[in-house]
Amino acid sequence: MPRVPRPPAPLAALLGATLVLALAWAIVVPPFQAPDENSHFGYVQNLAERGKLPGDKRRPVFSTEQTRLSRLANSDQTAANRGNRPTWSEAVWRTAQADRSLSRTDGGGLNPARTNPPLYYALAVAPYRAVHGSSMWSRLFAGRLVSVLLLLVTVAATWALIGEVVVRRPVLQLVGAGVVALQPMEMFISASLTPDSLLFATWALAFWLAARILRRGLSARDAIALGLATAAGILTKSTTYALVPGVLLAALLAARRMRGSASRREILRPLAAGAAALAAPVLGWLAYAHFAGRAAINQVGATDAHAHVSLRYFGNYLWNFYLPRPGFIRPFSFDSAYPAYQDWIKEAFAQFGWLETTMPGWVYAAITVALAVAFLGAVGVLVRRRRTGARDGAFLAFAATVVLALLAGLHWTDFRTHVELGQNFIQGRYLLPLLPFLGLAAAGAATAVRPERRSLVAGVTLGLAAVLQLGCLAVVVTRFYA
């Protein structure tokens, strides 16, 4: 039997610390006080209790058990309302849990999460069933543990990604993977019951596998793994369709490099294997959804079919989102005066609960400065590596394609939602699948430091990230328990 390789000691320590912090978040955050967690639990419960996906318009959205216990715990009233707190009366909770008339099987209606594919929820069924005889709160916490374990996959995949792209040096990999592990919003989301945790893991794995085939060449094994990781992401959330152009580009670039050293058959075989691994699960899901009469992709419903959605107006929207508006630019209605800062900094890094729990303004300013330092440092390293003949172009093309595809999809959906429904769509957490690229940038920037000082840089970086992490946890504790 082949021996399972032991992880490097720094990675094992980082994973251990990540596990402890994620469990703390999972315990501290009250039930259903993470975005859409009530909908995700309802999806898992319906799948576990009835073996069916939600979406039957003849049934209630949630089960009697979830509706009654959520009301007694004051969960719905607390969400997005800083003036409310959950109910912590032990007598109330015990009374509710002892009431055997609370049905678990009468939900499954028009759950807001019903258009999500089922992969994450299917994973969460096992821990739900493992504690089936316990309270709803225990079953919710068991589901949260799935997300916690998936966070460890994300961190380990980021470690491997840095080893492929930058260098296999534990101190540099520790910097980059640690930045991902200690990112507050990533930790908060990954400690709740949400498919986003599996989305983060599948994207991180896809980034690593794409880097691997671009650095080492295209093999059938790696192509199949990349196809399966991408398919798993698509079967988790339709956001992953934005990953497909980058994955295809990486495969084609890797295949192109094989020309002259491999036969056409040796090139086409891994391409075909990877394409089959990607297409078969996705086509299976699309076919099932079609014949079951359910949406296979998250949709934004339109209320105004004649709304003005021209490309010129879309350009106006983008200008208002990212740049100050001069007098000749038509204004666009946003909830914030600086939407890019609100969404990509504040919401993406440290805005908790249902986005009502925030940090002091100076914290976001400090995060912005840290991001600028990491970005400029990474750019400087790229320039220096290019002068020394390093070949980073293929991976940069892959990364740029992924980033632009995700941003294009998010912005087009947000634009349509604004114009047609008068609502916001974008939330900062939608950018979190790209977080391994931030870890890569941080590790790359650290290479600019002399080797004898890199341990100091790693300590300072992770120390500051840990302080931010603990500060955010303290703010959340104050929000719900003070």
Side-chain angles (χ1 to χ4, degrees):
M1 182 176 179
R3 295 180 59 186
V4 177
R6 296 179 60 183
L11 174 59
L14 177 62
L15 293 176
T18 303
L19 177 62
V20 171
L21 284 169
L23 288 175
W25 279 94
I27 293 170
V28 163
V29 177
F32 308 141
Q33 296 310 311
D36 303 321
E37 190 177 41
N38 56 342
S39 299
H40 301 316
F41 178 82
Y43 196 130
V44 172
Q45 183 173 65
N46 193 64
L47 194 58
E49 300 288 352
R50 301 178 59 237
K52 296 182 179 180
L53 303 181
D56 187 342
K57 62 183 180 181
R58 298 167 298 181
R59 302 177 65 88
V61 174
F62 302 127
S63 68
T64 300
E65 178 193 56
Q66 182 176 348
T67 302
R68 175 79 185 281
L69 295 189
S70 295
R71 186 182 300 118
L72 288 174
N74 208 37
S75 295
D76 294 341
Q77 295 81 0
T78 299
N81 187 342
R82 288 184 61 89
N84 284 348
R85 297 286 187 275
T87 299
W88 299 114
S89 170
E90 184 176 357
V92 170
W93 281 40
R94 284 184 174 178
T95 299
Q97 293 171 32
D99 189 344
R100 298 183 180 275
S101 67
L102 300 181
S103 174
R104 303 179 183 182
T105 61
D106 58 349
L110 298 181
N111 187 322
R114 67 187 181 278
T115 56
N116 284 339
L119 182 57
Y120 170 81
Y121 305 102
L123 293 178
V125 163
Y128 179 102
R129 298 293 301 180
V131 293
H132 190 259
S134 61
S135 70
M136 186 182 80
W137 316 117
S138 297
R139 283 174 271 135
L140 171 64
F141 183 76
R144 286 182 173 185
L145 293 181
V146 173
S147 296
V148 169
L149 295 177
L150 289 169
L151 176 59
L152 302 185
V153 175
T154 303
V155 174
T158 303
W159 177 284
L161 170 67
I162 295 168
E164 290 291 340
V165 178
V166 183
V167 65
R168 289 192 174 187
R169 292 183 181 174
V171 67
L172 297 177
Q173 292 171 283
L174 184 62
V175 170
V179 165
V180 172
L182 296 174
Q183 206 270 13
M185 198 65 180
E186 173 108 343
M187 182 75 76
F188 164 66
I189 293 294
S190 295
S192 68
L193 195 155
T194 172
D196 286 1
S197 58
L198 181 55
L199 186 74
F200 303 155
T202 54
W203 280 54
L205 288 169
F207 293 168
W208 164 54
L209 290 165
R212 183 180 173 90
I213 67 171
L214 288 171
R215 295 285 176 174
R216 304 188 185 192
L218 187 63
S219 68
R221 182 188 64 178
D222 290 341
I224 291 172
L226 179 57
L228 289 176
T230 308
I234 291 173
L235 297 183
T236 301
K237 292 189 78 172
S238 56
T239 305
T240 307
Y241 283 107
L243 182 59
V244 173
V247 167
L248 295 178
L249 177 64
L252 292 175
L253 289 175
R256 183 182 180 184
R257 287 183 175 179
M258 296 173 66
R259 287 163 49 185
S261 61
S263 66
R264 175 178 292 186
R265 184 176 181 180
E266 290 173 327
I267 296 174
L268 291 179
R269 185 182 301 165
L271 284 176
L278 169 58
V282 175
L283 292 177
W285 161 244
L286 294 176
Y288 168 80
H290 173 74
F291 289 111
R294 54 183 301 117
I297 299 175
N298 303 68
Q299 298 176 342
V300 177
T303 58
D304 183 2
H306 303 288
H308 181 53
V309 292
S310 69
L311 290 178
R312 182 176 180 180
Y313 195 26
F314 179 58
N316 175 272
Y317 154 86
L318 289 176
W319 185 292
N320 281 269
F321 189 92
Y322 285 102
L323 300 171
R325 184 180 64 85
F328 61 87
I329 294 293
R330 179 180 175 182
F332 201 94
S333 177
F334 288 106
D335 290 345
S336 170
Y338 306 100
Y341 183 72
Q342 170 64 33
D343 292 336
W344 300 151
I345 300 297
K346 298 180 72 173
E347 287 187 6
F349 277 84
Q351 202 159 332
F352 309 103
W354 288 68
L355 302 181
E356 83 283 353
T357 305
T358 60
M359 301 293 288
W362 64 267
V363 172
Y364 302 112
I367 291 172
T368 304
V369 171
L371 291 175
V373 170
F375 175 76
L376 293 175
V379 169
V381 169
L382 283 173
V383 172
R384 187 168 62 252
R385 282 167 63 90
R386 185 173 183 179
R387 290 173 180 171
T388 59
R391 300 174 65 184
D392 299 311
F395 183 79
L396 287 175
F398 160 76
T401 301
V402 171
V403 172
L404 291 176
L406 179 60
L407 287 176
L410 291 176
H411 278 304
W412 181 251
T413 305
D414 188 49
F415 169 64
R416 291 289 301 267
T417 308
H418 269 286
V419 173
E420 298 174 6
L421 302 177
Q423 300 173 358
N424 290 328
F425 168 78
I426 282 181
Q427 294 184 31
R429 61 190 172 95
Y430 297 161
L431 216 59
L432 292 180
L434 301 176
L435 200 57
F437 288 154
L438 176 60
L440 194 61
T447 63
V449 180
R450 286 188 291 183
E452 62 270 18
R453 295 185 178 179
R454 287 175 184 169
S455 295
L456 176 62
V457 170
V460 171
T461 301
L462 296 184
L464 291 175
V467 169
L468 175 62
Q469 176 77 212
L470 295 175
C472 291
L473 187 59
V475 166
V476 170
V477 169
T478 302
R479 154 73 174 98
F480 292 112
Y481 300 93

